[in-house]
Amino acid sequence: FFRSLGMSGADERILALSYPWIGSARTAIANRQIHPQNHLIWAHVSKILLYYVMYEACQAAWSVVLYAKSIPEALPVWIYGLAMILEYFSMVFVRSAMSAHFFPRISLLYFLAYHLYFYSVPYGFFDVALIPLFMFLMHAMLYTILAFEVSSSSSGVISVETPREVYNKLSWPEWSAQLPSEWTMFLPLNARHIPLHDRVTDEVNGTQRNEVAPAVET
């Protein structure tokens, strides 16, 4: 597949490393040959189509619940579009602990301020108010990247081996070849990666013990 796209040096391992819930499953199907591989592909395509229909239905339903008043045309679409931009930005750029602490809170504050104006005025300049909301959100995105992400990447806290500084640690094992349960995205972050150079490793009674190195003030 990759060679047909002109990538002569690529093979199926790229798919397995990038998307293990697809690549590892395709490898297992090829080895055991219980059913054709196109069954897996069409199952994922069907899931995407179903989720998209559910997404569009939720947009229509929440528009009636949240914005059931005289509003400019397509206002809910613009608001949902901003929320989608924030979601993609969080997935790609919010990787350090400071970003995870700052960006969701400031974004929620901006959205609450806009909706406070929306519900306080019978018919205001709702579409015009989206412009400062967008500008404030863009400012928060740029500040998050320049103030937090660049420094974290330069110091090695964020790297290829540790793409995120904070994460959600579960109390039970999960298969690495599948996506975690969808409800786990609503759990609060409870674990933080400690860089190797910030750990103190010593040996006590023949066993190795790792501790966090104390912070040094300069």
Side-chain angles (χ1 to χ4, degrees):
F1 173 74
F2 293 101
R3 294 184 178 88
S4 64
L5 298 178
M7 303 171 62
S8 56
D11 54 19
E12 298 297 330
R13 290 180 297 176
I14 295 179
L15 183 63
L17 293 174
S18 302
Y19 306 98
W21 58 91
I22 296 180
S24 300
R26 291 184 72 249
T27 303
I29 292 173
N31 293 334
R32 304 190 64 181
Q33 298 182 355
I34 296 178
H35 54 78
Q37 295 191 12
N38 60 352
H39 288 185
L40 174 69
I41 303 300
W42 283 110
H44 280 279
V45 171
S46 301
K47 180 180 178 180
I48 293 173
L49 292 177
L50 176 62
Y51 275 40
Y52 178 76
V53 173
M54 294 171 59
Y55 170 74
E56 293 293 336
C58 288
Q59 277 192 347
W62 282 110
S63 298
V64 175
V65 174
L66 298 177
Y67 308 109
K69 59 188 295 186
S70 181
I71 59 175
E73 186 179 3
L75 179 67
V77 177
W78 286 103
I79 296 177
Y80 296 148
L82 289 177
M84 183 179 65
I85 293 175
L86 296 180
E87 179 184 2
Y88 289 158
F89 178 84
S90 300
M91 290 169 50
V92 177
F93 294 103
V94 178
R95 299 180 177 273
S96 64
M98 290 298 297
S99 297
H101 180 80
F102 168 78
F103 186 73
R105 289 168 171 79
I106 193 66
S107 302
L108 178 62
L109 178 62
Y110 289 153
F111 267 93
L112 289 178
Y114 175 83
H115 284 82
L116 179 63
Y117 169 73
F118 179 85
Y119 290 113
S120 301
V121 181
Y123 189 83
F125 298 96
F126 301 138
D127 50 351
V128 179
L130 286 175
I131 299 177
L133 174 62
F134 176 76
M135 298 303 294
F136 278 120
L137 291 175
M138 289 298 298
H139 173 264
M141 294 179 190
L142 293 176
Y143 181 81
T144 299
I145 294 176
L146 298 178
F148 304 133
E149 294 301 320
V150 172
S151 59
S152 298
S153 179
S154 301
S155 62
V157 176
I158 304 300
S159 61
V160 177
E161 290 78 13
T162 57
R164 296 188 186 276
E165 185 178 1
V166 289
Y167 56 94
N168 195 341
K169 189 175 183 179
L170 301 178
S171 302
W172 57 90
E174 288 278 354
W175 290 103
S176 61
Q178 73 176 20
L179 287 172
S181 302
E182 295 176 350
W183 61 270
T184 57
M185 72 175 65
F186 301 102
L187 292 175
L189 299 173
N190 59 3
R192 182 172 181 174
H193 169 73
I194 302 174
L196 181 63
H197 299 289
D198 293 339
R199 303 178 185 179
V200 176
T201 303
D202 55 5
E203 194 169 309
V204 178
N205 296 329
T207 60
Q208 221 176 35
R209 183 180 64 185
N210 293 331
E211 296 178 352
V212 181
V216 179
E217 295 182 0
T218 58

